[in-house]
Amino acid sequence: MNQTKPPFSHGYPQTPKPKHFFLAELSVIARYKRQTLEITVDLSTRSIVSNNVYNGHGYPILSNAEQDRAGELPHEYKPFVESVRKRGLNLSQVSCSYFTVGWFGEVKKTKRTLKLQCFYTNETANLFVRALEGITIVVDLEEMKIVEYYDRANIPIPKADDTEFRALNQKPPFGPKLNRFGINQPDGPGFKIDGRVVSWANWVFHVGFDIRAGPVISLASIYDMEKHKRRQVLYRGYVSEFFVPYMDPTADWYFKSYFDSGDYGFGQSQVSLKPGGDCPENAVFLDAYYAGETGTTEKTSNAFCIFEKHAGDIMWRHTEFEVPGIEEITEARPDVSLIVRTVSTVGNYDYIIDWEFKPSGSIKFGVGLTGILAIKGATYTHVDQIKEDAYGTLLSDHTLGVYHDHYLTYHLDLDVDGVSNSFVKSNLETVKVTDNSSPRKSYWTVVSETAKTESDAKIKLGSKAAELVVVNPSKKTKPGNEVGYRLLPAPVTHPLLLTDDYPQIRGAFTNNDVWVTPYNKSEKWAGGLHVDQSRGDDTLAVWSLKNREIENKDIVLWYTIGFHHVPSQEDFPIMPTLSGGFELRPTNFFERNPVLKTLPPKQVQWPNCTT
Amino acid sequence: MNQTKPPFSHGYPQTPKPKHFFLAELSVIARYKRQTLEITVDLSTRSIVSNNVYNGHGYPILSNAEQDRAGELPHEYKPFVESVRKRGLNLSQVSCSYFTVGWFGEVKKTKRTLKLQCFYTNETANLFVRALEGITIVVDLEEMKIVEYYDRANIPIPKADDTEFRALNQKPPFGPKLNRFGINQPDGPGFKIDGRVVSWANWVFHVGFDIRAGPVISLASIYDMEKHKRRQVLYRGYVSEFFVPYMDPTADWYFKSYFDSGDYGFGQSQVSLKPGGDCPENAVFLDAYYAGETGTTEKTSNAFCIFEKHAGDIMWRHTEFEVPGIEEITEARPDVSLIVRTVSTVGNYDYIIDWEFKPSGSIKFGVGLTGILAIKGATYTHVDQIKEDAYGTLLSDHTLGVYHDHYLTYHLDLDVDGVSNSFVKSNLETVKVTDNSSPRKSYWTVVSETAKTESDAKIKLGSKAAELVVVNPSKKTKPGNEVGYRLLPAPVTHPLLLTDDYPQIRGAFTNNDVWVTPYNKSEKWAGGLHVDQSRGDDTLAVWSLKNREIENKDIVLWYTIGFHHVPSQEDFPIMPTLSGGFELRPTNFFERNPVLKTLPPKQVQWPNCTT
């Protein structure tokens, strides 16, 4: 993604396809001879343009292959084999998973290490709820060997009973029972996919993939029926970082403060979607490809699904009784949207990322948390036995669901009707009526404030009522409003760690809900370019200390959606999806309702049937 | 709804139907000989048990019939006929709508009056965007005559061009184009309706109707497959009041601070839902009946729709690569929920109220705002002409969309696994690590606090991280957690009017996001029993000053979801739905995930077809 920013195409409807990125240069980050290399390759000449050895703190994303190799090491490591034997377990049923080590104030440069924790898999596929608690293994990734080993305690391993999530291993009764449901689209899906460019209703956008970010939506534009042209909305959007700190300070757990994008690769963690389960029957699937550890092509089949969502919602409606001579008028339009879905499974957790495009011009961002909780083995079987902080909810015998947070920081490079945009805080301010000019004592009005520099746009939501709008100051509507898109945030979730605590220094990009920066091609990753063991010196919070000008510039909106998670028994042994989301909504972008002239849907005729 | 609280039935699965309310007594509120009567009728003996003349402030809901009669008066009122003539308008195309007058500090008892404002309907069905601005008419409802008349200014009436919302009056091009979509349910819908009792998946509940509240969901219980019994969740829930203050303090607008439930009747305002537009093709419809002005039966056909929502969401999923000997396991279940939908059209606005039941035990509350904005006629055609506060957004020539709020206050009488419940604030509190016991400096933990009295449960969200849970303190799970349901609120929206401003005194129940009261059958309406011209002496904010005990009692949770609305041009001439919502989610109510044993759906076989 290291290319010059290309222009949008305006050729709709003859050529509704924006120009593809022209990959003149390619960025490569490689580990080679124990060094991190930042290489730039010129594809046209097939030559290396620059090759920088990175000597700062932090390491690149761990490859899946090296994680797997590390996970195999304990099986040949005698102290571990002895620990397993002592516990009376079958070694072949033990599986060790990999956890990044973080940074906790070490001053000297630390080695590239990984921690392993191990789980017992016999009689269940749900290994993450059956920890061999107390065993921590440190692997030196360069040596690919175990360099530290602890077996602190012999805490009971939770039983396999009632942990299985596979239908084939469940016993009846099953349920709740749901009737069958089928879809019929006699005209086929309403969208077209040309390479990676999706056209649907009034939208065109590109569905990209990045080993680190996962889905990357770019060059999203919407056709304006009134202006008879396609208009830019989003240059590029993706989850830039995903911070997941756990809240257990004890020896085996304190380090658990993951950056699921920078540590593990949110794209590398994408899984194949299951038709019918992950995506409805009208979905179309796309694969993902990325470079493996040694440059080989890795493929994730069905890594994306794209489908029209018919949720039964109402796009707009009105009933009118007051027109003389007409008893009742009712006009109503059903809502339809287009979903681009991916799921990244980072160890135990499954993260559903939905991009939802609406004909009304809104883009909705859905986040779903499901999968398996991070479980801590414990001696407890009842809350009455817990005498001090257990750092989690007792979910079942010997099973604690540890408290934690999820923060997804989106990079949203909006290009609202053009590249140069401004960020406007439309503050809703109470006005006191003190001159008896009205029987009212108060009302609120809008006092707009354009952010001049980055510090004007650092926003911690919740204390002030405001609409946050990205506008194009050089494009006005007919009545003179600046064309814009506004952010409708999710419920506020602020970090509760101390700002000088190490995980929070690294995750300082979550200290504000909203940041705005001038576009800078090196500022893609809110947690920094090399995040594993990073020390917070390359985060969004650091870049924006420069307090650069952001008015009427190519700007990037960064928004963080967060979740505090106090696990409950319903989350065990597998979590019903917890959903959140936010919206970008056109605000004086169109002259009027862009779906006013959407016709009521035609009835689907059923095929002629013999039975 | 003035009956003794009946018990839940536990007879599932043989008799999955809770007992219907036994209507021993009926409350009647009547206007008779210029008095407000509160009458109690014994249905079994067909006799009047009590008849109280209400002498306090405030008047009952306005009937549709008297609003219509009032709206006709200007057509026979000479000064108005002259005003219309002066403007060069066709009187037969003028329609006058009705606006409650509020209370603005008057000390003496005020007459039962209504204000009219009039609109021009020629060439468009969208009258609300074409105000005869400056004309205000006051009607004495008892005399049913005009008692005050103002024609302040001759502000241009916005043109009809581009205001039409009916498809039949639109000119091409139409669009955006959406392909046809059909549903096939070979087994039929998955729910059963017996009278007004709906059974679906693991849920049973009663769909009631009230002239004031609109939809009333009661006796909602869920079948627990593990305990083999049906368990109570919600005794009764409904929108108790709906406060809509506008933000224009000028003579023609200052009074606009409606209580759409108490002023107009949110049930009386329910409209017939349009199949295909308001509800998908798999919907089933129910009618609503209520007593008209003179006791006659009024019917609203198709006032409710009930349907299974297949939005393509994921109920739960996990992909597992780490089980020895198994390359990949993926289990995923599609989500399905049941929607009960109503729409109340209060003049210009259409409010979509969705009750969504999920097999996972969640109840989601959806609110959609659509319809027509309240428009103020203005001299302006461009924002550059606006030199002082216009109190709204200029949407089109002479067309201001006035700033306003919407606050829906839900009465949620939860009976979590029984009648006696407590309200627990599970505060997420930062713990500082100061003893070097951990490399961490901080973490958060849960410090729970049970509200003893009403004042402990007045919560203004946003400043503290907390989970808000209604628990049954006498019912514990196997590991010892209190069974509960927690509130997942919408983004915070707090009132911005001064608390001593008259509309806010009347709407004081919105001063907190959450309140908890002991159940009291006379405390149904958050804004008071008689709201039209009320003075705020009978609101939730007043009742709860008693600071009653609420621990381990039959309690009611009151939650307000709000919207600040800065209109944008996209909201004109009809608004794309703006959606919000909140959730009640089981929290240690079940021993484990209640949808773990939901089987993957069966494929729908298409019928054998000749073509």
Side-chain angles (χ1 to χ4, degrees), chain A residues 273-346:
Chain A
L273 300 172
K274 195 162 185 167
D278 286 322
C279 309
E281 63 172 293
N282 57 328
V284 167
F285 294 82
L286 294 177
D287 302 331
Y289 299 89
Y290 58 95
E293 195 180 35
T294 57
T296 53
T297 303
E298 300 285 335
K299 175 180 173 180
T300 305
S301 305
N302 294 356
F304 295 81
C305 74
I306 301 176
F307 63 91
E308 289 167 294
K309 172 178 166 179
H310 290 260
D313 293 330
I314 301 174
M315 182 188 267
W316 56 261
R317 81 168 323 280
H318 184 55
T319 295
E320 188 52 75
F321 297 105
E322 300 186 37
V323 177
I326 306 179
E327 200 178 332
E328 182 192 325
I329 294 164
T330 294
E331 290 272 331
R333 299 289 180 276
D335 209 9
V336 189
S337 56
L338 189 73
I339 301 277
V340 178
R341 173 171 296 163
T342 60
V343 173
S344 293
T345 300
V346 186

Side-chain angles (χ1 to χ4, degrees), chain A residues 227-246:
Chain A
K227 291 196 162 59
H228 306 290
K229 68 174 187 180
R230 182 156 292 286
R231 298 170 66 198
Q232 305 167 232
V233 177
L234 181 81
Y235 178 74
R236 190 196 281 138
Y238 56 91
V239 178
S240 174
E241 195 47 270
F242 193 164
F243 178 38
V244 187
Y246 281 80

Side-chain angles (χ1 to χ4, degrees), chain A residues 246 318 341 350 430 440 496, chain B residues 246 312 318 350 430 440 496:
Chain A
Y246 281 80
H318 184 55
R341 173 171 296 163
D350 296 61
T430 303
R440 278 278 186 96
L496 297 169
Chain B
Y246 281 80
H318 184 54
D350 297 60
T430 303
R440 276 279 186 95
L496 297 169

Side-chain angles (χ1 to χ4, degrees), chain A residues 213-225:
Chain A
V216 179
I217 301 295
S218 56
L219 298 174
S221 62
I222 189 163
Y223 184 70
D224 185 328
M225 286 178 57

Side-chain angles (χ1 to χ4, degrees), chain A residues 521-574:
Chain A
K521 77 174 183 179
S522 73
E523 296 178 1
K524 289 195 170 62
W525 309 111
L529 182 59
H530 303 293
V531 167
D532 174 36
Q533 301 185 34
S534 68
R535 301 188 178 184
D537 47 24
D538 182 28
T539 70
L540 169 56
V542 171
W543 315 329
S544 70
L545 288 174
K546 291 178 221 158
N547 200 20
R548 295 161 289 190
E549 288 183 7
I550 55 170
E551 190 179 6
N552 201 7
K553 294 240 182 299
D554 184 4
I555 55 176
V556 177
L557 177 74
W558 305 80
Y559 172 68
T560 297
I561 177 171
F563 302 83
H564 296 306
H565 195 167
V566 177
S568 72
Q569 287 182 237
E570 286 80 5
D571 296 336
F572 180 85
I574 191 162

Side-chain angles (χ1 to χ4, degrees), chain A residues 202-221:
Chain A
N202 40 10
W203 283 101
V204 174
F205 55 87
H206 181 272
V207 179
F209 170 81
D210 181 270
I211 188 172
R212 178 161 179 177
V216 179
I217 301 295
S218 56
L219 298 174
S221 62

Side-chain angles (χ1 to χ4, degrees), chain B residues 50-70:
Chain B
S50 67
N51 183 355
N52 176 44
V53 177
Y54 175 74
N55 284 315
H57 294 297
Y59 295 106
I61 298 177
L62 283 75
S63 77
N64 279 346
E66 65 184 341
Q67 291 180 65
D68 287 341
R69 281 199 302 280

